[in-house]
Amino acid sequence: MFRTAIRMAPISASEIPSLNLLYKLDRLDVSRLGPLKGASPAYNDRIGLFRGDITTLSVDAIVNAANTSLLGGGGVDGAIHRAAGPKLLAECRTLGGCPTGASKITDAYKLPCKKVIHTVGPVYDDTHPAVSEAALRDCYRSSLELAVKSGLKTIAFSAISTGVYGYPSLDAAHVACDTVRKYLGTGDGEALDKVIFVTFEEKDVRAYNHLLPRHFPPSTPSTNDHDQLTKEQNAEAEARASQLPNVPSTDPADPEHALKKQKQGDKK
């Protein structure tokens, strides 16, 4: 489970490294496979990557990987409800649930973010992967649309459906990156200042480290200095990165809630 005994200080969107900063600090390896079709570095200052507890982020909205009841569960879902307090559950009870692929928004209560966007990811169907992919794309798209509609500027996504719902992390990361990149290229997407991908488990970390450079490759280095930071900028960037909290040492797993969540998914 996420660490709750000692609450970490809230982390703002500006404190979370952008892809441009991670490239400059050599914290993100460029894929040997090269960029995918449609890949662009144009949004690298507006994409952030953070490994840790999403409930500590002081952003406009965090995205909860919810179930159709919206009444809490295991993993990230349970962690968000525990950190927000009982008023979140009370508000969720008024929403009438949420279908797979859709999103609904609530207040954040005791969380440091302003709002929580709840989206229901698909239970992965390996016999019909295209159906699962379409539903997962809807999760990211509907969350982004809801954020813009609500006047929110910064949004942080948990890794939707990669837990007990069984979506392969690499495939899920591709869908997430591709959907976000395409949305940022629309007129509505221009309203967002920063989209943050939040990872926790090692399998999701590896997936995003592999896929982000393929969707958001680094900018072409300058001919003079290969786009190096000045010594002062480099030191400042290193200091900023070092101030981020250590990665939690335990997985966001709650076996009892996870089993209930799986059973709910089987009924879909």
Side-chain angles (χ1 to χ4, degrees):
M1 289 161 45
F2 283 96
R3 292 180 292 182
T4 56
I6 300 175
R7 298 299 300 168
M8 292 184 290
I11 302 166
S12 68
S14 63
E15 293 177 285
I16 296 172
S18 68
L19 295 190
N20 268 342
L21 178 58
L22 291 172
Y23 284 132
K24 290 173 180 178
L25 294 176
D26 292 324
R27 299 291 180 87
L28 197 60
D29 291 333
V30 178
S31 174
R32 295 179 181 179
L33 298 176
L36 293 166
K37 182 179 180 181
S40 172
Y43 314 113
N44 288 1
D45 276 332
R46 297 165 62 198
I47 298 291
L49 181 62
F50 174 73
R51 185 183 183 186
D53 185 344
I54 196 170
T55 69
T56 65
L57 299 187
S58 179
V59 296
D60 287 347
I62 62 173
V63 180
N64 178 26
N67 57 45
T68 55
S69 74
L70 298 185
L71 301 182
V76 173
D77 192 10
I80 287 173
H81 273 269
R82 288 190 294 275
K87 289 184 179 180
L88 176 60
L89 178 60
E91 183 176 357
C92 284
R93 290 188 186 280
T94 70
L95 299 180
C98 184
T100 300
S103 301
K104 293 189 177 182
I105 192 168
T106 65
D107 284 331
Y109 301 101
K110 293 182 179 180
L111 289 162
C113 58
K114 294 179 180 178
K115 297 288 184 179
V116 179
I117 294 175
H118 308 263
T119 192
V120 182
V123 175
Y124 186 69
D125 185 350
D126 56 6
T127 61
H128 301 93
V131 175
S132 297
E133 179 180 332
L136 188 59
R137 285 185 182 275
D138 285 344
C139 287
Y140 283 93
R141 188 181 303 109
S142 63
S143 296
L144 292 165
E145 290 171 347
L146 190 52
V148 171
K149 182 180 178 180
S150 303
L152 306 177
K153 298 292 186 179
T154 56
I155 180 172
F157 282 96
S158 56
I160 301 166
S161 281
T162 63
V164 70
Y165 279 14
Y167 211 113
S169 292
L170 198 62
D171 295 337
H174 167 71
V175 171
C177 292
D178 189 60
T179 306
V180 167
R181 176 176 53 79
K182 289 176 179 176
Y183 189 80
L184 289 178
T186 67
D188 288 342
E190 294 177 358
L192 292 170
D193 290 339
K194 199 167 192 177
V195 178
I196 300 155
F197 293 113
V198 180
T199 60
F200 190 91
E201 297 187 70
E202 184 62 32
K203 62 188 181 67
D204 295 321
V205 173
R206 291 195 301 267
Y208 277 92
N209 285 349
H210 177 71
L211 266 301
L212 281 168
R214 303 203 68 198
H215 285 275
F216 305 96
S219 302
T220 304
S222 65
T223 55
N224 293 329
D225 59 4
H226 300 284
D227 203 25
Q228 290 181 337
L229 297 173
T230 66
K231 289 183 179 180
E232 293 79 8
Q233 289 174 318
N234 200 8
E236 181 181 354
E238 288 281 7
R240 197 166 106 198
S242 68
Q243 289 172 358
L244 291 174
N246 292 329
V247 177
S249 58
T250 56
D251 287 342
D254 183 333
E256 181 181 350
H257 284 131
L259 180 60
K260 292 178 182 178
K261 193 171 182 181
Q262 180 66 68
K263 289 180 178 178
Q264 288 173 348
D266 291 342
K267 293 178 182 178
K268 292 180 185 179

